[in-house]
Amino acid sequence: MPSDPTPPEEPAPDENAPAPDPSAPDSDVYELEPHPHPAGPQKDSLLEGFDEDADFERDPEVDAALGRPRAKKKPRPAAGPVGARVSGGVPHDDEDDDHPSGGALVLPSKLDPEIVVGAAIAVLVVAAAVGAATADAARLAAGVSVVYFAMLGFGVGVGAIRLAAHFQGVIVGSWSRAIAAIAGSVAAFQLVNALTLPALGAWGRLLLIPAAACAYILTLHALLRLPRERLTLVAGLHALGAIAAWTALVAYDWIADAGAGAAR
C-alpha cells in the first residue's frame, strides 16, 4: 500500500505559552571543559619572534626592488658589569663619557709598566754618565744635576697627566702605565739634553733642546698611544710646569745670591 507523501502538519504554537528568556542558556549548546596542560598554562609572549635589531625606517622588499644594499645590523655592545659599559675591552662607568677611548685618559697596556720603569732608570744612568763625560768642568755636579732635573721633571709630568685628565673631563685610568710613560719620556729627554757640544758653543744648546723635546714627545706617544689632541695637551702642560719649576729655581738662586752679597 503506497505511503502518503503529504508531510505531517506541525502543531500550532500555543499563544498562552510564556516567552523564552533570552538570558537563559540554550539547552541545545554543550560547553566542553578545557583540559589543563600538563606543564601549566601556556601564554605566548607578544614579543616572541620579534627582531630587536630590525630597521623600521627601511623596507627590505623596496630595497630589493630598487637594488639598494641590505641594511646591516648594528653590533650589540659587549656585556659588562651592571651600570658600566665596555669600550676596547675595558669597562668604564657611564659618567665617564666624552672620550673616544672610553672615559679614561690612559688605558691599560700589555706592556709591563715595571719593565718600562726599569728601562727608564737605565737610560737615566746613561744620561748622567754622558752629562758627566761631556761637561767642561765639575763633571760630578753635571751628572748629579741630570738625575736631579729628571726627578723634578718626573714629578711635574705626573701632575701634567692629572691636569690633562681634569681638563678633558675624564679619569686618569691606568696610573701605572701613565707613571711608566712619564718616566721613560723624561729619561729620553735627559739623555739628549745631557749632551754637550763645545764646538758649537751656545748654538749647540739651542739645537739640543729641540732635539730633546722631540725625543720626549716620540717616547711619550709610543708608550701612551694618545690621540694628537691629548698628547699635545699632556706635553704642553708638562712643558709649562717644567718652565715654571726652572724659573722658581733660578729665582731662588738669585735671591740667595743677593742675600749673600748683602750680608757681606
Side-chain angles (χ1 to χ4, degrees):
M1 181 174 183
S3 60
D4 188 4
T6 304
E9 296 181 359
E10 296 181 358
D14 189 1
E15 298 179 355
N16 298 326
D21 188 4
S23 62
D26 191 358
S27 59
D28 296 336
V29 179
Y30 297 92
E31 295 183 359
L32 299 178
E33 183 179 357
H35 295 280
H37 196 275
Q42 300 293 324
K43 294 182 179 179
D44 295 336
S45 175
L46 296 177
L47 300 179
E48 185 176 358
F50 178 75
D51 188 5
E52 298 179 357
D53 298 331
D55 188 1
F56 296 100
E57 297 180 358
R58 300 181 60 178
D59 190 348
E61 297 181 359
V62 175
D63 293 343
L66 297 178
R68 296 176 181 174
R70 183 175 298 179
K72 298 181 180 180
K73 295 183 178 180
K74 298 180 181 180
R76 296 182 179 180
V82 178
R85 293 181 291 107
V86 178
S87 176
V90 180
H92 59 278
D93 297 334
D94 291 338
E95 298 177 356
D96 300 323
D97 287 335
D98 198 19
H99 192 277
S101 61
L105 184 67
V106 181
L107 296 178
S109 173
K110 296 181 180 180
L111 186 60
D112 191 354
E114 296 180 357
I115 297 178
V116 178
V117 172
I121 293 175
V123 172
L124 184 59
V125 171
V126 174
V130 170
T134 58
D136 296 338
R139 295 184 175 182
L140 180 60
V144 172
S145 65
V146 170
V147 178
Y148 174 78
F149 282 106
M151 296 175 61
L152 183 62
F154 172 76
V156 174
V158 172
I161 288 285
R162 184 65 187 88
L163 284 178
H166 174 72
F167 290 152
Q168 292 294 316
V170 296
I171 61 175
V172 174
S174 178
W175 269 108
S176 58
R177 184 183 181 187
I179 290 174
I182 291 298
S185 303
V186 170
F189 178 89
Q190 291 297 332
L191 178 61
V192 179
N193 190 55
L195 297 175
T196 302
L197 301 176
L200 298 179
W203 290 101
R205 177 53 50 189
L206 294 178
L207 293 176
L208 287 175
I209 291 179
C214 290
Y216 164 84
I217 293 177
L218 292 177
T219 305
L220 187 66
H221 174 67
L223 294 177
L224 287 185
R225 294 295 181 179
L226 292 176
R228 181 179 301 177
E229 178 185 355
R230 288 167 175 78
L231 181 67
T232 304
L233 180 61
V234 173
L237 291 174
H238 197 172
L240 290 177
I243 293 174
W246 181 80
T247 303
L249 291 176
V250 171
Y252 174 79
D253 290 340
W254 181 81
I255 293 173
D257 293 342
R264 293 176 185 175

